[in-house]
Amino acid sequence: MKELTIEAAIENIETVTDFINSELQAIGCPMKAEIQIDVAIDELFGNIARYAYNPETGKATVRFEIEESPLSVIITFIDNGTPFNPLENADPDIGLSAEERQIGGLGIFLVKKSMDMIDYKFENGQNILMIKKTLGQ
């Protein structure tokens, strides 16, 4: 397991992405899965940066773990901000036009669709959001 603790700020999304991508590349992650994970990082870490401590700032930890058989990665986002479970919101109606749809929710919807598992819990004063992506058999 490896982890990075960093200020939860929009400008640090690239640092988090680079951290995760270096780990993904070390295990031969397919490009399609890496891109899907990058989108998830952008959405999830971006939400922490925008909302967890608003208007203040705080730290966030991003944890990277590998599972074998099948080869999978688990990425966990941890912050001490305001409790918020993004999985409680209803999925957006993607059948509606962009003008008819309500703002928000599309990023989390894309994460749910592209990851094999997404889980949230609030424990010991921390938001803990975990995503899992299976890379192979």
Side-chain angles (χ1 to χ4, degrees):
M1 174 181 68
K2 296 196 177 170
E3 60 180 45
L4 170 70
T5 299
I6 193 167
E7 194 71 22
I10 295 296
E11 58 268 18
N12 286 333
I13 292 173
E14 185 176 348
T15 302
V16 173
T17 302
D18 290 346
F19 163 68
I20 296 296
N21 283 346
S22 69
E23 298 300 323
L24 293 173
Q25 290 162 10
I27 61 171
C29 178
M31 184 56 69
K32 178 182 177 184
E34 184 176 324
I35 291 168
Q36 291 171 325
I37 291 168
D38 287 354
V39 169
I41 292 167
D42 188 70
E43 175 64 21
L44 300 174
F45 191 83
N47 281 349
I48 294 168
R50 285 182 195 91
Y51 306 117
Y53 300 101
N54 193 14
E56 304 299 320
T57 60
K59 300 281 186 191
T61 297
V62 180
R63 183 177 296 152
F64 179 87
E65 299 173 86
I66 301 169
E67 281 188 350
E68 305 290 334
S69 295
L71 180 62
S72 305
V73 296
I74 297 172
I75 302 166
T76 306
F77 299 84
I78 304 165
D79 69 79
N80 296 305
T82 303
F84 177 70
N85 182 354
L87 306 180
E88 288 180 344
N89 293 340
D91 289 340
D93 184 348
I94 58 173
L96 298 175
S97 71
E99 293 79 25
E100 295 173 305
R101 250 192 330 256
Q102 288 191 337
I103 294 174
L106 194 55
I108 291 293
F109 176 75
L110 292 173
V111 173
K112 286 186 201 175
K113 293 297 180 191
S114 63
M115 295 296 115
D116 296 303
M117 184 272 297
I118 182 169
D119 185 56
Y120 169 87
K121 62 185 172 183
F122 186 78
E123 190 173 88
N124 300 321
Q126 295 181 314
N127 290 294
I128 304 169
L129 185 73
M130 179 186 301
I131 58 173
K132 180 177 181 178
K133 182 70 178 172
T134 302
L135 306 180
Q137 301 302 342

